Amino acid sequence: MPSFICHRGPEALHQFVDAGQRLGYDMAMVYLPEDDPDPTPAVFKMYRPRVVRDIVDAPDSVVVVPETGTLQLLELRHATRALWWLSVEHFAVRNEAMRQAQKMPAGQRGPLDFVFDPRFGVVHFAQSEYARQFVARQGAEALMLTDYVRDEIVERARAARWREAEHRGLQPQEGAGVHAETDGGLAGRDPVGAD
């Protein structure tokens, strides 16, 4: 996970590691790039993640990456591969861009779609019902793994949205998109732009 990102998705990852550590599991966070001696963003230091530089690719390890780290799963030979769907849109946009860059025919599955191939043994986690349904439409099953959004993160997202709206000369709707689960048909999407 890039160490400079401070919003909902990375917070979910920090919460996950924190919860696992509290339950006694040997869990750690790997930040990318790996050259920062203190990579945990200040807003997430309260979770006190154990930080390591290298992923442990061993048969008794489970490596969980967000959908933005999909390609990292291809590097694993021994660990159980797990993909946590925090934002379907990030995956879809990146997959399509890679498909076009590789000049693959329209309609052909993209280079990241290996995650749906049972031969790769990827375990899917979904942060939202929207993501779970997306994975199901691809022919795979996803286990629900949800998080909560702290007020501080909501306020940062709201402030960023207001700055963006002011820059464009628009006024965002009060409270719109603050928490995806309360946005009706937008559940699991990123209307705030916080992922």
Side-chain angles (χ1 to χ4, degrees), residues 28-166:
M29 182 76 71
V30 175
Y31 292 95
L32 302 173
E34 300 167 352
D35 58 354
D36 188 340
D38 185 20
T40 305
V43 71
F44 301 139
K45 285 195 183 287
M46 64 183 276
Y47 296 115
R48 298 179 311 278
R50 185 169 67 91
V51 178
V52 296
R53 291 202 176 271
D54 299 308
I55 292 172
V56 178
D57 186 14
D60 62 345
S61 294
V62 177
V63 176
V64 180
V65 301
E67 78 295 329
T68 56
T70 305
L71 289 176
Q72 292 168 318
L73 295 175
L74 288 174
E75 298 172 12
L76 301 174
R77 296 292 172 248
H78 307 286
T80 298
R81 300 172 173 131
L83 180 60
W84 193 4
W85 293 91
L86 299 171
S87 171
V88 171
E89 284 73 22
H90 280 147
F91 176 86
V93 167
R94 190 170 189 191
N95 200 23
E96 179 60 19
M98 291 176 70
R99 189 187 64 71
Q100 289 179 10
Q102 294 179 15
K103 299 185 183 344
M104 298 170 77
Q108 183 175 346
R109 293 183 73 88
L112 300 180
D113 286 322
F114 72 89
V115 298
F116 303 114
D117 185 334
R119 293 175 295 177
F120 286 89
V122 176
V123 176
H124 297 271
F125 295 115
Q127 184 184 33
S128 66
E129 178 61 16
Y130 175 79
R132 191 196 64 75
Q133 289 178 12
F134 171 79
V135 172
R137 285 193 303 274
Q138 310 311 310
E141 289 186 39
L143 302 168
M144 292 299 293
L145 180 60
T146 60
D147 67 323
Y148 62 92
V149 181
R150 289 185 297 129
D151 290 342
E152 180 180 356
I153 299 300
V154 171
E155 291 307 317
R156 283 175 180 248
R158 184 176 286 145
R161 183 179 175 148
W162 276 99
R163 282 192 303 275
E164 180 182 327
E166 287 173 354

